[in-house]
Amino acid sequence: MSEVFFRAAGVGKRFGGFVALAEVDIELRAGERLGLIGPNGSGKSTFVNCISGDFAEHDGQVSLAGTVLNGLKPHRRARLGMARTFQLPQPFNSLDVLENVRVPLLFAGHAAEATDRAMACLEQVEMADKARKLPKELTQVEQRRLELARAIALNPRLLIADEAMAGLSNAEVDQIIALLFKLNEAGAAVIMIEHIMRAVTAFSERLVVFVAGRKIADGPPRDVLALPEVEGAYLGKQ
Amino acid sequence: MNANLRFWLGAAALGLALVAGLRLLGNDYGYFAGYFVLQYVVLAGAWNILGGYAGYVNFGAAGFMAAGAYSAIVVRQWLGWDLIPGIFAAAVVAGLLGLGTGYLTLRLKGVYFSIATLCLAVVLQTLVVNWDYVGGSRGAYIIHARDIPPFNSYSEMLFIVMLALAIITTGIGRAVEMSRLGRGLQAIRDNERAAEAVGVPTLRLKLVATTLCGALMGVAGAPLPYYSGYLNPEAAFSLAYAVNAIAMPLIGGAGTWAGPVIGAVLLASLQQAATVTISSALNLWIVGWMLVIFVAVAPRGILGWFRKRT
Amino acid sequence: MEFDLSLLLNGIVSGLLLGGLYAAAASGLAVSFGMLDIVNIAHPALMVTGAFTVVVLGTWLGLDPLVVAVLQAPLFYVFGIGIYNAYHHFFEKRGDEALQGLAFFFGVMFIIEVGLVMAFGPEQRFLDPSYAYTTWRIGDIDLPLRMLVPGLFAMACIGGLFLYLHRSFTGLAIAAVAQDAEALRLMAIDPVRIKRLAFGISIALASMAGGALVVVQPVEPSSGQVFIGRVFAICIMGGMASLPGCIMAALLFGVVENVTATFFGPSWSPAVAFGWLLLVLAFRPQGLFGKAA
């Protein structure tokens, strides 16, 4: 197995007196597929916002491929190979689909061949025929695909898929899972934050569980899901 | 490349035609009216770079414009610099002013930047009123710029300088629109958080835009003391600049390089024509109403209106 | 410059009194900008409109400016509701608050200011109440009623607002809309109705602040301009939605501005507003009295 290339050590975040996330350690190997689950308000989104740089200040340290990310703005992290999708798709509404995907390429030093590369990304998510559509003309699943295409354009080494399948039909969920597998085979480690257990178990080779801002389990999915505290705290309440 | 060449050739041809037409007319009033309209083309184009593309509202057009005008006065009194170097000085001073305001406020929500620019004009006016070197509240006189041979008259020279500035500003606006900078600013306007997440250095782009916007507004103001021969704080900080700088691009079509030109030519010509018949207050009142009505009913401006129909 | 203790003390006291006026001007903004997230840059212009109507009605009816200010408040409440309806219909509903919504309020501000010039001319207007030239003295300290009465009036208005927001059902709903509009919807309360009402209140407050302004100083159509920086600086310093924070920030602001004016000359005081605003935005955007993020 390859060595650790992403590390979150003692990551925590407080809002006033409220502890949203406490001393979370997560390590990831290159190309690993990690599922992150937990009930609403368990700190999953807070964790994503800490490692993506949306929260400028938090406890602990985050590093990617040996580079400490603390204090770096989100766009610097994106250039270092960290890409994310949002719970609610966040397209650039006045730009068409192709331009949406060109934006990351323009700022990643691929200005000259941005259009070709953007088309290639759109082909990967099977959206090439929608290149000239505006985001508001897309369906839910197409907007999700656009998010992924924009993330792929960053040529990520780590992709954070934050509830990338919420609100989709079963068939559509399978399409997105297939896409994530394809990305993973191309070399990206993936952190999948998801409520749809079927997707998590199908995709992840490792599972981390958050409850009330703490990591309570970390290991192979089968073992983790069998833990009584996981069943009690999370699955039991569903 | 071809399109760029066409734009510059077209702009040059239009400019030459304007000059030739006004020469045929042979009336100084034509140059003065033309200058009045063209200064608004510069001002509206400058506002559009930040407001139109990035969606950040600069309310301080009067402040930046006055900063440019007073920079021209200061370098003339202090160093004896004439009109053209005065324009460069104005660009530097107003650009730094834009950069500073942006640097202090742009890390927060965009509305704080807008509020800061709103107060900027008031404070700059306070400074100028208290500054005796530039005449304080009494104002400052500018002797004519040195005559430059190829021009028929002083007013023709000022007109041609402003014409060149208007063409350059519009060209800059167009270049921004076509460039990576413009795309980045549009992404910021649509969704700043997503822009940052896909690698757009949002703060840096916004600072470039505020600096450019401030500098060009300063440029619009630099020839003002030469144009009016006398400048006092009340005239330099006139609210008319602030409201027109916003109304013109929004009415013409913000976020497109041609929008501010259309809005400025339309509104400034109307105002120039109306000053003859109605009071200047009523004139400005109408601009205020047009602004409110347009942003409510046609938020994409005249250009957006046409695009939707075709 | 020679240091003079009684000059300083008087500067501080009249600064506190001035701060009372600023609190009145900023409290309405704490409702619209702080609680409703509506960037009403026309607020000071509406305050000046209130001041002009106070002068006109007060002269006509022969009443004290502050009495007129209270009597006319319902009119401004209705006016505010009208403005909010337009704002909501054209901008808030469409999601165009940021650019077009700001431009809208700027246009409203401009229309009001130029409209006042056209209606009343650019000159100053005043309406002095009977106590305008009375000054109480406590030791070395002057307490001009011209400043004290409007300051107390402002505190009474804000106190009333505070009780309303904390005691009445609608007031609590306004506080809730500031926190979470969705939660209100779940309680079957229409957040738009609450916001409309709250915005109306904020404009009524602006007009009452206008009454206080008339007592303190003569007004002219452009009087609102110098207040823009002040009221936004105070509102942000006070922590946006907090009325006690707003009062404390306003008093502090009044003192700093007045002491500056005492020692450096009154023409410098507008610069204080902007300087403070920039410093606050740069270093403590969560407000002086807010908690650290």
Side-chain angles (χ1 to χ4, degrees):
Chain A
M1 252 193 168
S2 53
E3 55 191 271
V4 171
F5 95 115
F6 169 82
R7 176 177 282 131
V11 170
K13 176 79 185 169
R14 267 164 308 191
F15 297 100
F18 173 68
V19 180
L21 192 66
E23 291 193 29
V24 167
D25 299 302
I26 290 181
E27 293 181 345
L28 218 61
R29 293 167 197 287
E32 203 172 358
R33 298 189 304 275
L34 178 79
L36 173 54
I37 60 172
N40 282 326
S42 61
K44 303 188 300 288
S45 293
T46 310
F47 179 69
V48 171
N49 288 333
C50 285
I51 61 176
S52 70
D54 270 10
F55 293 146
E57 300 198 354
H58 59 79
D59 302 332
Q61 197 186 57
V62 182
S63 62
L64 184 74
T67 312
V68 175
L69 299 182
N70 290 49
L72 292 187
K73 303 198 118 207
H75 76 266
R76 299 273 307 136
R77 302 182 193 215
R79 294 232 213 128
L80 287 169
M82 183 191 283
R84 69 171 296 183
T85 65
F86 291 94
Q87 285 183 21
L88 291 173
Q90 313 258 315
F92 304 127
N93 280 317
S94 70
L95 306 180
D96 66 26
V97 166
L98 181 65
E99 288 301 326
N100 262 275
V101 184
R102 269 170 46 96
V103 168
L105 291 161
L106 289 175
F107 289 92
H110 303 298
E113 67 272 36
T115 307
D116 293 344
R117 277 176 180 250
M119 278 313 289
C121 295
L122 286 175
E123 267 155 29
Q124 275 197 55
V125 299
E126 290 157 32
M127 287 274 289
D129 53 328
K130 304 277 193 312
R132 286 298 167 199
K133 288 226 185 285
L134 283 174
K136 65 176 179 211
E137 299 167 326
L138 300 179
T139 63
Q140 265 268 9
V141 68
E142 285 167 346
Q143 293 206 0
R144 298 278 181 195
R145 286 167 184 269
L146 172 58
E147 288 269 296
L148 278 175
R150 227 167 42 179
I152 295 170
L154 289 167
N155 196 16
R157 289 186 286 180
L158 171 62
L159 172 72
I160 305 159
D162 192 357
E163 299 195 20
M165 290 165 255
L168 299 187
S169 73
N170 274 338
E172 289 166 343
V173 165
D174 290 336
Q175 293 170 13
I176 299 288
I177 293 177
L179 268 177
L180 289 175
F181 265 116
K182 225 160 76 182
L183 256 169
N184 177 247
E185 273 155 33
V190 179
I191 300 181
M192 178 192 275
I193 294 124
E194 198 51 67
H195 278 299
I196 303 170
M197 283 311 290
R198 184 173 70 80
V200 181
T201 46
F203 183 76
S204 320
E205 45 189 346
R206 205 177 112 208
L207 211 52
V208 165
V209 186
F210 279 7
V211 171
R214 290 177 188 281
K215 185 174 93 168
I216 63 159
D218 185 345
R222 193 172 312 212
D223 301 358
V224 165
L225 291 175
L227 290 171
E229 58 264 42
V230 171
E231 229 172 304
Y234 181 53
L235 301 173
K237 280 181 191 164
Q238 273 211 323
Chain B
M1 213 57 221
N2 210 347
N4 280 338
L5 198 65
R6 261 208 314 256
F7 169 80
W8 288 110
L9 286 178
L14 187 65
L16 285 175
L18 273 174
V19 174
L22 285 174
R23 270 201 183 177
L24 280 178
L25 205 65
N27 186 339
D28 251 12
Y29 175 76
Y31 292 121
F32 276 98
Y35 176 99
F36 178 83
V37 174
L38 288 171
Q39 75 175 0
Y40 278 121
V41 173
V42 179
L43 207 56
W47 187 91
N48 187 48
I49 288 175
L50 186 65
Y53 297 116
Y56 277 69
V57 184
N58 185 345
F59 287 120
F64 287 101
M65 176 132 175
Y70 274 97
S71 301
I73 291 178
V74 168
V75 294
R76 186 186 173 92
Q77 289 189 10
W78 180 34
L79 302 167
W81 289 3
D82 211 44
L83 175 61
I84 302 296
I87 291 172
F88 280 101
V92 171
V93 170
L96 286 176
L97 207 57
L99 178 65
T101 315
Y103 187 78
L104 287 175
T105 58
L106 279 179
R107 272 164 292 190
L108 307 163
K109 274 200 307 185
V111 31
Y112 293 109
F113 171 79
S114 303
I115 295 167
T117 56
L118 201 54
C119 319
L120 183 68
V122 177
V123 174
L124 286 179
Q125 191 168 358
T126 309
L127 293 180
V128 169
V129 164
N130 284 291
W131 195 11
D132 279 334
Y133 186 71
V134 292
S137 54
R138 285 170 288 110
Y141 287 93
I142 278 275
I143 318 139
H144 276 196
R146 281 165 216 123
D147 277 330
I148 302 171
F151 303 112
N152 275 352
S153 69
Y154 185 64
S155 42
E156 187 193 62
M157 182 193 76
L158 284 177
F159 171 80
I160 289 175
V161 166
M162 199 39 103
L163 179 65
L165 294 176
I167 291 175
I168 291 169
T169 304
T170 309
I172 290 176
R174 186 174 169 278
V176 166
E177 184 169 327
M178 309 275 170
S179 71
R180 187 173 91 150
L181 170 65
R183 271 287 175 271
L185 293 176
Q186 287 169 328
I188 289 170
R189 178 190 61 199
D190 283 355
N191 194 324
E192 190 154 350
R193 187 165 167 226
E196 184 74 31
V198 298
V200 179
T202 55
L203 181 60
R204 199 186 332 143
L205 295 195
K206 286 187 290 182
L207 287 176
V208 171
T210 47
T211 311
L212 203 53
C213 170
L216 289 174
M217 284 178 172
V219 162
L224 186 62
Y226 292 91
Y227 171 74
S228 51
Y230 160 78
L231 191 68
N232 67 359
E234 215 168 301
F237 289 91
S238 159
L239 262 183
Y241 297 126
V243 73
N244 275 312
I246 296 170
M248 287 167 175
L250 282 173
I251 287 173
T256 58
W257 63 266
V261 181
I262 294 171
V265 170
L266 193 74
L267 256 75
S269 311
L270 273 177
Q271 285 172 66
Q272 187 63 31
T275 38
V276 187
T277 49
I278 56 177
S279 76
S280 63
L282 181 60
N283 213 332
L284 283 178
W285 209 52
I286 293 170
V287 177
W289 279 106
M290 281 182 77
L291 170 63
V292 166
I293 290 167
F294 257 88
V295 293
V297 182
R300 310 284 164 253
I302 293 173
L303 269 185
W305 196 47
F306 276 110
R307 275 191 195 160
K308 218 187 295 171
R309 307 195 134 202
T310 48
Chain C
M1 184 176 310
E2 205 176 320
F3 183 74
D4 184 340
L5 185 65
S6 87
L7 198 62
L8 178 67
L9 274 178
N10 268 305
I12 291 174
V13 170
S14 50
L16 286 172
L17 297 177
L18 188 64
L21 173 70
Y22 291 172
S27 60
L29 200 66
V31 174
S32 55
F33 180 47
M35 297 179 189
L36 311 178
D37 207 18
I38 298 172
V39 192
N40 181 15
I41 52 179
H43 193 86
L46 286 158
M47 173 178 86
V48 173
T49 311
F52 270 87
T53 52
V54 162
V55 171
V56 171
L57 293 173
T59 314
W60 180 46
L61 300 168
L63 287 174
D64 182 275
L66 297 179
V67 176
V68 181
V70 173
L71 292 178
Q72 70 172 16
L75 283 176
F76 277 82
Y77 172 79
V78 174
F79 186 41
I81 283 180
I83 295 178
Y84 179 78
N85 281 341
Y87 173 73
H88 176 74
H89 179 76
F90 289 113
F91 307 103
E92 210 170 44
K93 213 163 61 182
R94 256 183 349 213
D96 275 347
E97 296 104 314
L99 182 68
Q100 278 82 8
L102 263 179
F104 167 74
F105 279 115
F106 182 78
V108 169
M109 172 182 100
F110 193 78
I111 290 170
I112 289 174
E113 197 176 315
V114 178
L116 287 174
V117 172
M118 292 195 308
F120 298 99
E123 316 75 55
Q124 295 190 329
R125 295 273 169 153
F126 53 88
L127 173 63
D128 286 337
S130 50
Y131 46 79
Y133 299 99
T134 313
T135 296
W136 290 351
R137 285 190 74 102
I138 301 172
D140 268 346
I141 296 167
D142 291 337
L143 285 175
L145 292 193
R146 182 187 274 283
M147 302 295 296
L148 183 64
V149 173
L152 294 175
F153 173 74
M155 291 304 139
C157 290
I158 299 172
L161 176 66
F162 188 81
L163 285 180
Y164 175 73
L165 288 177
H166 287 261
R167 293 277 184 277
S168 77
F169 179 75
T170 332
L172 289 169
I174 293 173
V177 95
Q179 304 286 327
D180 185 358
E182 274 312 301
L184 274 187
R185 208 164 262 141
L186 293 177
M187 288 155 60
I189 301 172
D190 177 11
V192 174
R193 196 176 66 84
I194 297 295
K195 287 180 91 169
R196 183 187 303 138
L197 204 142
F199 193 81
I201 291 173
S202 84
I203 302 307
L205 281 166
S207 81
M208 291 203 272
L213 179 68
V214 170
V215 179
V216 172
Q217 63 179 61
V219 288
E220 54 192 350
S222 61
S223 292
Q225 285 178 29
V226 285
F227 273 89
I228 295 173
R230 284 179 188 142
V231 291
F232 276 97
I234 289 167
C235 193
I236 297 164
M237 275 194 287
M240 299 293 282
S242 149
L243 287 179
C246 177
I247 293 178
M248 293 216 289
L251 295 179
L252 189 65
F253 196 90
V255 169
V256 170
E257 196 181 280
N258 212 48
V259 170
T260 312
T262 309
F263 288 99
F264 298 97
S267 54
W268 283 104
S269 59
V272 177
F274 186 69
W276 270 64
L277 181 65
L278 272 191
L279 287 177
V280 168
L281 289 179
F283 299 108
R284 273 196 76 83
Q286 71 276 29
L288 284 183
F289 310 106
K291 43 183 184 285

